[in-house]
Amino acid sequence: QVQLQESGPGLVKPLGTLSLTCAVSGVSMKTTGWWGWVRQPPGKGLEWIGETSHTGSVHYNPSLKGRASLSINKSENHFSLNLTSVTAADTGVYFCARMGFYNFRTWGHGTLVTVSS
Amino acid sequence: QSALTQPASVSGSPGQSITLSCTGASSDFGTYDSVSWYQFHPGKGPQLIIFDVNDRPSGVPDRFSGSKSGNTASLTISGLQSDDEAVYFCSSYTSSSVYVFGTGTMVSVL
């Protein structure tokens, strides 16, 4: 059974960098898969952030204007998100997911990140 | 990229059927039948319940079914149960190679 678990600081200062890691268990990231991030601001809907593959290919949501960076660590079976120059608008619950073919096949439980000084 | 439009809330009695809609522009649905639906249940991680418009992952009851007509996708829940109370989001892979989500529908079982 594939499981994903997000981790990282729950509080980030404005203009700082939000860094999250998603630990994957139940499947090896060395040979397969696309892995993505989605976020949900308080009281709002979902926004796709980006996805990365086991080969290191990446796709990002243009709405983030180049602030997002995804990476994958196959030896430790996790992948990461960095979001730079954060503002209060980046506050929300961040989910990692294992991608299917044009869908989000398995999700983590999410982690709340607050941007505040 | 604007969100797909979903009704804010839908309710029904146990055993009834309800249908949730998800509307967007033609470009939102792209050239693939890539509409998917997710259940956000309190206290649980989100769960994929429908993919490719009308396919169910293993383990999802056949009470959940999907369809699409023109620029509107739909999720039908038959034999409504109390455990179906949750927020449901639709999603699509667009012609701009971006994933877009719906605004979300809260389902209440009366």
Side-chain angles (χ1 to χ4, degrees), chain A residues 46 48 102-104 107-109, chain B residues 38 45-46 51 89 93 99 101:
Chain A
L46 301 170
W48 173 65
Y102 305 120
N103 62 67
F104 302 83
W107 297 63
H109 279 72
Chain B
Y38 304 89
F51 66 96
F89 288 93
Y93 186 70
Y99 290 92
F101 288 93

Side-chain angles (χ1 to χ4, degrees), chain A residues 57-76:
Chain A
S57 298
V58 289
H59 302 131
Y60 297 108
N61 191 330
S63 69
L64 293 168
K65 295 179 170 54
R67 295 191 297 125
S69 174
L70 272 63
S71 61
I72 189 167
N73 186 324
K74 290 179 284 187
S75 60
E76 296 190 5

Side-chain angles (χ1 to χ4, degrees), chain A residues 38 40 44-48 51 59-62 95 99-109, chain B residues 32 34 36 38 40 43-48 50-52 89 91 93 97-103:
Chain A
V38 174
Q40 183 176 27
K44 296 188 179 180
L46 301 170
E47 181 182 30
W48 173 65
E51 60 183 354
H59 302 131
Y60 297 108
N61 191 330
F95 299 93
M99 307 299 295
F101 286 111
Y102 305 120
N103 62 67
F104 302 83
R105 181 175 172 181
T106 309
W107 297 63
H109 279 72
Chain B
Y32 312 100
S34 61
S36 52
Y38 304 89
F40 278 58
K44 298 182 183 177
Q47 181 184 8
L48 172 69
I50 294 288
F51 66 96
D52 294 350
F89 288 93
S91 178
Y93 186 70
S97 302
V98 171
Y99 290 92
V100 63
F101 288 93
T103 48

Side-chain angles (χ1 to χ4, degrees), chain A residues 10-110:
Chain A
L11 182 65
V12 181
K13 293 188 186 305
L15 301 181
T17 297
L18 180 159
S19 296
L20 297 174
T21 295
C22 181
V24 177
S25 59
V27 66
S28 171
M29 301 179 74
K30 290 181 180 178
T31 57
T32 186
W34 283 81
W35 308 88
W37 291 92
V38 174
R39 68 180 181 178
Q40 183 176 27
K44 296 188 179 180
L46 301 170
E47 181 182 30
W48 173 65
I49 297 170
E51 60 183 354
T52 183
S53 77
H54 68 285
T55 63
S57 298
V58 289
H59 302 131
Y60 297 108
N61 191 330
S63 69
L64 293 168
K65 295 179 170 54
R67 295 191 297 125
S69 174
L70 272 63
S71 61
I72 189 167
N73 186 324
K74 290 179 284 187
S75 60
E76 296 190 5
N77 229 48
H78 70 236
F79 62 106
S80 299
L81 165 69
N82 280 346
L83 185 66
T84 61
S85 303
V86 296
T87 68
D90 295 308
T91 292
V93 177
Y94 285 72
F95 299 93
C96 61
R98 180 191 187 193
M99 307 299 295
F101 286 111
Y102 305 120
N103 62 67
F104 302 83
R105 181 175 172 181
T106 309
W107 297 63
H109 279 72

Side-chain angles (χ1 to χ4, degrees), chain B residues 3 10 15-16 20 25-26 28 37 40 45-46 53-54 57-60 62 70 76 79 81 86 88 93 97 99 108:
Chain B
V10 174
Q16 283 188 331
L20 286 60
S26 58
D28 289 332
W37 290 86
F40 278 58
V53 176
N54 56 11
S58 60
V60 175
D62 60 5
T76 297
Q81 300 179 1
Y88 294 80
Y93 186 70
S97 302
Y99 290 92
S108 300

